[in-house]
Amino acid sequence: MKLLSAIVPCYNEEENVRCFYDEFMKNKPFFDRKGLDYELIFVDDGSGDGTAQEVRGVIAEDSRVHLISFSRNFGKEAAMYAGMQEAKGDYVAIMDADLQDPPSLLPELYGYLEQGYDTAATRRSDRKGEPRIRSWFARRFYRLINRMSDTEIVDGARDYRLMKRQVVDAILSLAEYNRFSKGIFSWVGFRTKWVEYENVERQHGQTKWSFWKLFAYAMDGIVAFSTAPLKIASVTGSLFCLVSFVMILVTIIRKLVFGDPTSGWPSLVCIIFLVSGIQMLCLGAVGQYLEKTYLEVKKRPLYIVKEKI
Ligand code: UDP
Ligand code: MG
């Protein structure tokens, strides 16, 4: 019998745990038909509400359900990683607890793996139900990162996917501290089938991603999968050296030929501001990479487990 593991990262999802379980179990006839066994791993990412309690309630009824509780909120990336480490399945799915990743799609995803794909991944076909400026920034982000990075980051890709064991092992072998899964999934390669579906609204509760959290995540993504900012910094530096060299020559020649004393400190102030601004910007870009390297070198664990059932 093959085993299918489903990983569900949860952060303050007490209202959704039960709904999710019920919805997931609608696949039971499908599992039986295919001779699949299943396990459900809820990863409680330091929730402050009754999420863990809800999961315990489900475990009391179904021994195939597991719980990993973190000692605090470590973020969805850490939760997904912990789930994958724990999953024993031949097939592993990652799904949100809020039912935005419909479990009813699992049979279709499984079908693609049977056809020989290694991963069946999902992407949203639209950005309905999302604030306009957020969509605008999201599109800009995907344009930018795909220009800067060799790893393709698919626009609208969700973390909802079904993978074969081999793919999960490959993902686990990337034990980096600064995890940007959208990039990691793509970086490991393998044959991926993209399945599109219309965006579903969250069942209960609110999204955990504020605009600034998303913005920071986008920056992490760029630093994790591109070194273009570093190259841009050095190219800008060289360009400025070249320009200033020409400017020095022009000034000297003008003085010698026309005896024209160069005047105008306002222009000078502007130039100083511009150049030092660009210097700070480049230094900042370098700083971003240094920060990530610093965190990476410390080799802190990605998460700390408080309880495991
Ligand atoms: N999540 C998590 N840790 C966090 C934030 C979110 O485990 O720090 C989980 C959350 O419980 C949900 C999934 O990640 O199951 C997606 O989060 P959310 O629905 O808030 O994001 P959105 O769908 O709005 O992008
Ligand atoms: Mg959601």
Side-chain angles (χ1 to χ4, degrees):
M1 224 178 183
K2 296 262 185 187
L3 177 68
L4 185 146
S5 311
I7 299 162
V8 192
C10 302
Y11 179 46
N12 294 340
E13 304 278 7
E14 59 180 359
E15 301 126 305
N16 287 320
V17 168
R18 175 59 64 170
C19 300
F20 178 88
Y21 176 74
D22 292 340
E23 197 62 32
F24 183 81
M25 288 318 286
K26 287 188 185 153
N27 285 317
K28 186 82 180 36
F30 164 75
F31 293 152
D32 292 341
R33 212 164 51 241
K34 292 284 177 188
L36 276 175
D37 202 1
Y38 69 91
E39 64 172 358
L40 247 178
I41 303 170
F42 286 95
V43 185
D44 170 21
D45 184 12
S47 303
D49 66 355
T51 301
Q53 200 49 42
E54 279 292 317
V55 177
R56 274 187 218 111
V58 178
I59 292 175
E61 293 163 30
D62 187 344
S63 61
R64 290 182 167 87
V65 179
H66 307 278
L67 169 71
I68 306 171
S69 273
F70 288 175
S71 59
R72 65 167 171 86
N73 180 244
F74 281 92
K76 188 185 176 188
E77 293 287 343
M80 289 195 289
Y81 191 74
M84 281 189 268
Q85 280 190 318
E86 211 55 41
K88 295 178 189 69
D90 306 283
Y91 304 101
V92 175
I94 299 176
M95 339 177 59
D96 286 2
D98 56 7
L99 290 174
Q100 280 189 299
D101 299 337
S104 55
L105 221 59
L106 270 180
E108 188 186 338
L109 300 183
Y110 184 78
Y112 289 116
L113 297 198
E114 277 186 323
Q115 282 175 27
Y117 287 98
D118 301 302
T119 305
T122 63
R123 58 184 293 194
R124 51 203 279 184
S125 54
D126 57 10
R127 292 193 164 271
K128 257 197 299 210
E130 191 184 64
R132 273 249 182 94
I133 39 169
R134 185 172 293 192
S135 306
W136 189 85
F137 272 104
R139 272 195 293 270
R140 288 294 92 77
F141 164 70
Y142 284 109
R143 281 269 290 275
L144 186 71
I145 194 165
N146 280 314
R147 237 188 226 173
M148 284 179 158
S149 169
D150 297 333
T151 309
E152 198 202 353
I153 317 282
V154 177
D155 188 357
R158 296 194 56 89
D159 292 329
Y160 182 22
R161 50 180 58 227
L162 184 64
M163 298 168 280
K164 286 188 178 160
R165 185 76 246 169
Q166 208 186 357
V167 182
V168 179
D169 288 340
I171 292 169
L172 285 174
S173 72
L174 271 75
E176 55 207 71
Y177 184 79
N178 297 286
R179 299 189 77 75
F180 183 70
S181 282
K182 285 179 200 307
I184 292 175
F185 290 146
S186 162
W187 189 91
V188 295
F190 295 102
R191 269 186 84 201
T192 305
K193 170 75 188 173
W194 286 99
V195 179
E196 285 202 11
Y197 70 93
E198 238 176 70
N199 189 32
V200 190
E201 294 277 323
R202 183 174 240 284
Q203 191 86 355
H204 299 284
Q206 285 175 7
T207 175
K208 313 299 181 299
W209 295 87
S210 67
F211 179 80
W212 289 111
K213 232 174 140 182
L214 276 174
F215 190 79
Y217 187 57
M219 287 300 145
D220 286 349
I222 291 176
V223 175
F225 279 90
S226 165
T227 48
L230 291 178
K231 288 181 193 119
I232 294 170
S234 37
V235 169
T236 318
S238 322
L239 217 70
F240 267 70
C241 286
L242 206 76
V243 170
S244 64
F245 187 67
V246 173
M247 269 156 60
I248 290 168
L249 270 184
V250 169
T251 317
I252 292 174
I253 292 169
R254 231 168 46 172
K255 168 78 181 152
L256 290 180
V257 178
F258 304 105
D260 177 18
T262 315
S263 64
W265 77 272
S267 54
L268 211 67
V269 171
C270 291
I271 291 167
I272 291 173
F273 261 79
L274 176 72
V275 174
S276 50
I278 287 173
Q279 268 175 0
M280 290 310 274
L281 196 76
C282 294
L283 201 63
V286 177
Q288 286 288 316
Y289 287 89
L290 188 66
E291 179 208 318
K292 302 291 176 216
T293 314
Y294 176 58
L295 291 174
E296 214 66 65
V297 164
K298 283 208 229 186
K299 288 219 182 313
R300 284 188 183 162
L302 279 164
Y303 57 86
I304 290 176
V305 175
K306 189 177 74 181
E307 186 189 8
K308 222 188 249 188
I309 311 179

